Amino acid sequence: MSTGTSPQAPAAVPPRPAPGELRQGLKRRHMNLIALGGVIGAGLFVGSGVVVRSAGPAAVLSFLAAGALTVLIMRMLAEMTVARPALGSFYAHVRETLGHRAGFTVGWLYWYFFVIVVAVEAVAGGRIVQLWLPGAPLWAVSLVLMALLTATNMVSARSFGEFEYWFSSVKVLAILVFLFLGALYVLGLWPDSPGGLANLTAHGGFAPAGVGAVLAAVVPCIGFFTGAEIVTIAAAESAEPERAVANAIRSIVLRVVAFYVLSVFLVVAVVPWTSRAIEVSPYAAVLERLAVPAAGTVMNAVVLVAVLSCLNSALYTSSRMLFALTRNGDAPRAFTAVSRSGVPRRALLAGTSVGYLSVIAAWVSPDVVFEFLINSYGAIALFVYLAIAVAQVRMRRTLERTEPERLTLRMWLFPGLSWVTIALMTAVIGAMAFLPDSRTQFWLSLLTVAVVLAGYELRRRRGTSLRGPRTGRSGAAVGEADGCGPVAEKR
């Protein structure tokens, strides 16, 4: 970034986007923290306790397996993103390699997933705020949180990036402090700490519920990692998309190991896995064991930041996916409008409106409508990940024949490891259909897929389409992503 004062050095001011185009307002530091924040959600701080209670100390292995599978999917996605940068990322890649129907389905499923996340996180944030403001109605607090973060997203992509940068920084700092304190306790360096790893085997063994429970726990664990792919969508508004994505994905292995596996390991090493406190809040349970003052308040504040981060990212991601859908005629043209600052405000408000309605549903009908919404998106991210994996195999074959020089970042051990990843993801999705805790989510998510497919058929039979010439970030027309041309302009 330029630091000069000469009027001839305007590099510090992002260029105004061409009509209908997004602005390249995200910097490398934003991209790194967006990738980091996408992986660290409230599920790590709260939801991980449910996994520990079901699998015991061996939950560490469940998180490790889920993390490894997520890393493989992200590596496959990174290969495509770096080779063929495209607005909408994997939506464009799936559309190019697997056809219009698959692209339409993946794009709308992903949009639906994140508009429901908006509501879920807003309600979760409202419940935390109620701990300090018990007299405030949940629906009102949730709507206020959603309105505030919608306002920040309405300003510019850079505004979103700044908020996410600081939200993610707080989450990272909290985890680093937690890892440091937990390590001191395990090593016997904390006051009154016995040290050691006795809790890993002292209460029924390392895997008290058996190997089956460990494998079953992989299914919910993968859900905790959902969001790592957001950085590839944000790449369209980065000045260095290829480098930003490559750097973020390369470092995701360290993040998965350090932030999930190590932290869960310390939880079960410090506090017996049978403790009820772990299921409520595993991090708070550890801090209370260490007699850290105001442990509950501190963790509630950190969880609130994590929830706001997820809400912020969900608003951004849903708007950009809807905007990308318009470029191929897969969504109404009205959502193509972009503000002077390069923000697709109509697309943003569309997702926010669905979020508002969902929050109202949580107030009016929490046990029927809102519960249905939550279950109807439970497996969607896994369906999208499977489509990403299949698209990578198809695109890799094409690139090896036509543009091998674009493969600057490659999937490891192709094609064998790619097919293994597809098989494992298929097994995880299949397991959801049979596991009691996830069976409802699986079938209702399939219902969501059926609705989206019906929408595609309706659009196709009407024969319209909303399709118009797509443009790249510079405004130049590019191919239609149907195998006849590149999915985005070469940069």
Side-chain angles (χ1 to χ4, degrees):
M1 183 175 72
S2 173
T3 57
T5 58
S6 169
Q8 311 224 348
V13 180
R16 179 174 294 179
E21 294 301 317
L22 303 177
R23 170 174 283 177
Q24 301 172 23
L26 296 176
K27 301 179 181 180
R28 189 182 303 177
R29 67 182 178 88
H30 295 144
M31 296 294 284
N32 289 337
L33 270 295
I34 287 171
L36 193 55
V39 179
I40 307 171
L44 172 61
F45 297 106
V46 180
S48 56
V50 177
V51 177
V52 171
R53 287 283 292 179
S54 65
V60 174
L61 300 181
S62 301
F63 276 97
L64 183 60
L69 184 54
T70 303
V71 166
L72 294 175
I73 295 291
M74 291 305 106
R75 182 75 181 193
M76 299 170 85
L77 177 55
E79 178 186 284
M80 294 189 291
T81 303
V82 173
R84 292 273 186 88
L87 180 65
S89 182
F90 50 85
Y91 152 68
H93 303 322
V94 170
R95 195 174 193 275
E96 177 192 13
T97 57
L98 304 182
H100 294 169
R101 179 182 285 103
F104 179 96
T105 303
V106 164
W108 277 108
L109 285 178
Y110 198 72
W111 178 84
Y112 178 75
F113 177 88
F114 271 102
V115 296
I116 300 303
V117 168
V118 167
V120 171
E121 298 298 343
V123 171
R127 285 174 177 156
I128 296 172
V129 172
Q130 277 189 318
L131 296 175
W132 299 303
L133 301 173
L138 176 61
W139 65 268
V141 177
S142 300
L143 292 181
V144 167
L145 293 178
M146 196 183 308
L148 289 174
L149 289 176
T150 298
T152 65
N153 275 267
M154 291 282 277
V155 175
S156 65
R158 184 170 182 174
S159 175
F160 155 75
E162 285 294 334
F163 271 81
E164 192 57 30
Y165 177 85
W166 291 109
F167 283 151
S168 296
S169 296
V170 171
K171 292 188 289 185
V172 171
L173 179 61
I175 291 177
L176 291 177
V177 170
F178 176 83
L179 292 176
F180 176 71
L181 297 180
L184 290 180
Y185 186 93
V186 169
L187 295 174
L189 302 178
W190 189 261
D192 301 322
S193 164
L197 303 174
N199 279 330
L200 296 181
T201 57
H203 304 277
F206 182 66
V211 176
V214 176
L215 295 176
V218 173
V219 175
C221 285
I222 290 180
F224 295 143
F225 294 108
T226 303
E229 71 287 344
I230 292 175
V231 68
T232 66
I233 295 174
E237 294 172 89
S238 167
E240 302 175 293
E242 296 89 344
R243 179 179 298 180
V245 170
N247 291 341
I249 298 300
R250 285 192 180 107
S251 60
I252 198 174
V253 176
L254 178 61
R255 297 181 186 127
V256 168
V257 173
F259 294 152
Y260 272 89
V261 178
L262 283 181
S263 60
V264 172
F265 173 80
L266 288 174
V267 166
V268 295
V270 173
V271 182
W273 72 271
T274 53
S275 171
R276 192 71 182 175
I278 282 187
E279 188 171 2
V280 175
S281 178
Y283 278 57
V286 171
L287 296 182
E288 289 173 359
R289 175 60 62 93
L290 272 60
V292 174
T297 302
V298 170
M299 282 313 306
N300 286 332
V302 171
V303 173
L304 178 60
V305 169
V307 166
L308 294 178
S309 173
C310 292
L311 177 56
N312 190 43
S313 295
L315 288 166
Y316 172 85
T317 305
S318 62
S319 66
R320 270 45 176 192
M321 182 55 70
L322 183 55
F323 178 77
L325 283 161
T326 67
R327 310 314 290 268
N328 291 303
D330 287 335
R333 290 182 185 276
F335 298 119
T336 306
V338 173
S339 70
R340 293 182 55 148
S341 59
V343 176
R345 289 180 175 173
R346 292 181 183 177
L348 176 61
L349 290 175
T352 303
S353 299
V354 175
Y356 285 148
L357 294 175
S358 299
V359 168
I360 293 173
W363 173 52
V364 175
S365 182
D367 298 327
V368 180
V369 178
F370 192 64
E371 184 176 355
F372 170 81
L373 292 174
I374 291 176
N375 286 323
S376 68
Y377 90 118
I380 285 177
L382 301 185
F383 296 153
V384 172
Y385 281 3
L386 180 60
I388 289 172
V390 175
Q392 183 268 336
V393 174
R394 295 285 296 273
M395 181 176 284
R396 175 66 173 268
R397 296 294 193 193
T398 301
L399 290 173
E400 286 178 336
R401 292 193 309 269
T402 61
E403 300 176 282
E405 70 279 1
R406 282 189 164 275
L407 292 169
T408 57
L409 188 152
R410 298 170 180 255
M411 173 60 178
W412 305 297
L413 302 177
F414 182 84
L417 194 53
S418 291
W419 285 111
V420 168
T421 303
I422 291 172
L424 291 175
M425 186 57 68
T426 302
V428 169
I429 293 174
M432 289 193 71
F434 298 99
L435 295 173
D437 293 338
S438 59
R439 187 180 298 130
T440 300
Q441 292 184 0
F442 174 81
W443 292 109
L444 289 181
S445 295
L446 274 187
L447 176 61
T448 304
V449 174
V451 171
V452 173
L453 286 172
Y456 175 81
E457 290 303 318
L458 179 63
R459 166 190 176 275
R460 184 180 65 83
R461 291 182 181 182
R462 280 186 171 181
T464 57
S465 158
L466 316 160
R467 176 178 305 167
R470 290 189 301 124
T471 57
R473 288 194 307 182
S474 66
V478 294
E480 276 289 25
D482 57 0
C484 301
V487 296
E489 62 181 325
K490 297 179 182 178
R491 300 180 180 83

